[in-house]
Amino acid sequence: MDPRIERINSATAYILTKTGGRKPVAGIICGSGLGNLVDRITDSTVVPYTEIPGFPVSTVIGHKGNFIIGNLGGKCVVAMQGRFHYYEGYTMDVLTTPVRVMKKLGVEYLFVSNAAGALNPAFEVGDTVIIRDHINLLPNPLIGANMDEFGPRFPDMTCAYDRELQDKAVEIAESMGHKLHRGIYVGGSGPSYETPAEVRYFRQIGGDLVGMSTVPEVIVARHCGIRVFGISVVTNVSNTENIERNLNDGEDVVMQANKTAQWLSGLIEKMVESL
């Protein structure tokens, strides 16, 4: 058997021993800005990544490393408290394993969040931006033999981010007194922040946001037929000039993302409730 399939099946089988027969309708990858969402999940079962066969382990500041199954907004969900990144040294098939495990568990919708740098000068620190499309500068996670049981060799990415879910998010956010922007996310490898020349280039090719995650997970989710909603928290404004005072700091990024945690978690809960 394909070792990738073996890894997915082993992880799924172990998690199923912990779920009590519950079938999650939605998966949530709690990146920056959604770390506190798990506090809203009730009747929850926490499964540390370290216990799951074949699962990678998150090594990044602010990513705790748990798989959580429980109820949110009246629906059964599975949430990842911490994600994996290409720059941590994982291969693409390993870091996207959790998405395929979610599919095997029954997930139909995937909600993803991240911290991002603003390329668009209209965006400011603290803004929340719906991802309406992406530009992938990472290796494509579907390279290699296709896993036919999950999806086609050449999946369409015309509407990678579900338009109905985007409109629903805008409506719910407005009812909560918040404004959401929309933008195109540029996914790079990291872990170094972008040079000013790269930032100017990303703007020229149509990017509004830049970050180091999300895109591989979204591609794999769409390959599996899962509907996706993505949102970014603007935690820094990307630098366009080579000036020493224009420095990016990882701890500051986490701090800025946490400022949005309460209302953004509420938004996702209401979106899950509306499914």
Side-chain angles (χ1 to χ4, degrees):
M1 180 183 288
D2 186 326
R4 299 172 300 171
I5 300 291
E6 289 183 355
R7 183 189 310 116
I8 294 162
N9 289 346
S10 294
T12 303
Y14 181 80
I15 293 168
L16 284 172
T17 68
K18 306 290 185 178
T19 62
R22 291 177 289 181
K23 180 181 177 182
V25 67
I28 305 166
I29 300 178
C30 300
S32 301
L34 278 183
N36 293 336
L37 179 71
V38 297
D39 296 334
R40 295 172 177 262
I41 298 175
T42 60
D43 191 23
S44 61
T45 300
V46 179
V47 186
Y49 296 158
T50 52
E51 291 183 3
I52 304 173
F55 238 59
V57 178
S58 184
T59 65
V60 182
I61 296 172
H63 292 252
K64 292 187 178 180
N66 295 311
F67 224 54
I68 300 172
I69 301 98
N71 298 321
L72 180 74
K75 305 288 196 308
C76 182
V77 302
V78 56
M80 288 180 65
Q81 193 178 26
R83 60 148 51 89
F84 312 110
H85 305 79
Y86 186 59
Y87 63 72
E88 293 176 80
Y90 295 117
T91 60
M92 280 294 172
D93 65 289
V94 170
L95 75 86
T96 55
T97 291
V99 177
R100 292 190 171 107
V101 169
M102 288 181 179
K103 176 66 176 181
K104 298 277 281 190
L105 292 173
V107 162
E108 300 173 27
Y109 299 87
L110 179 67
F111 296 85
V112 295
S113 74
N114 60 51
L119 301 170
N120 189 327
F123 295 164
E124 299 177 349
V125 171
D127 284 347
T128 42
V129 185
I130 294 171
I131 303 173
R132 65 180 181 87
D133 206 347
H134 69 233
I135 297 171
N136 184 28
L137 301 180
L138 288 153
N140 193 298
L142 303 181
I143 291 172
N146 186 53
M147 287 187 264
D148 295 334
E149 68 180 80
F150 287 100
R153 170 76 282 188
F154 302 107
D156 180 58
M157 290 288 152
T158 303
C159 295
Y161 300 85
D162 193 275
R163 296 179 66 179
E164 182 181 340
L165 293 177
Q166 291 180 47
D167 291 342
K168 186 178 292 185
V170 170
E171 180 182 338
I172 293 172
E174 287 179 352
S175 73
M176 297 171 69
H178 291 275
K179 178 182 179 181
L180 292 176
H181 304 274
R182 302 197 201 210
I184 296 173
Y185 179 86
V186 179
S189 68
S192 56
Y193 288 102
E194 305 75 30
T195 68
E198 288 169 336
V199 170
R200 295 193 296 271
Y201 168 63
F202 297 157
R203 281 187 180 180
Q204 293 247 344
I205 63 174
D208 297 297
L209 304 156
V210 63
M212 307 171 188
S213 67
T214 302
V215 174
E217 299 151 341
V218 172
I219 291 173
V220 168
R222 293 304 301 135
H223 179 249
C224 294
I226 297 173
R227 296 171 65 180
V228 175
F229 174 78
I231 194 161
S232 293
V233 179
V234 175
T235 52
N236 61 291
V237 175
S238 297
N239 304 320
T240 58
E241 302 294 333
N242 299 96
I243 302 172
E244 289 186 1
R245 64 179 171 80
N246 289 344
L247 301 177
N248 291 302
D249 178 81
E251 292 185 0
D252 185 61
V253 164
V254 172
M255 181 186 71
Q256 295 296 339
N258 287 340
K259 289 181 179 180
T260 69
Q262 184 171 355
W263 96 261
L264 188 55
S265 295
L267 170 69
I268 299 301
E269 181 175 14
K270 288 179 181 295
M271 291 186 71
V272 170
E273 185 178 6
S274 71
L275 297 177

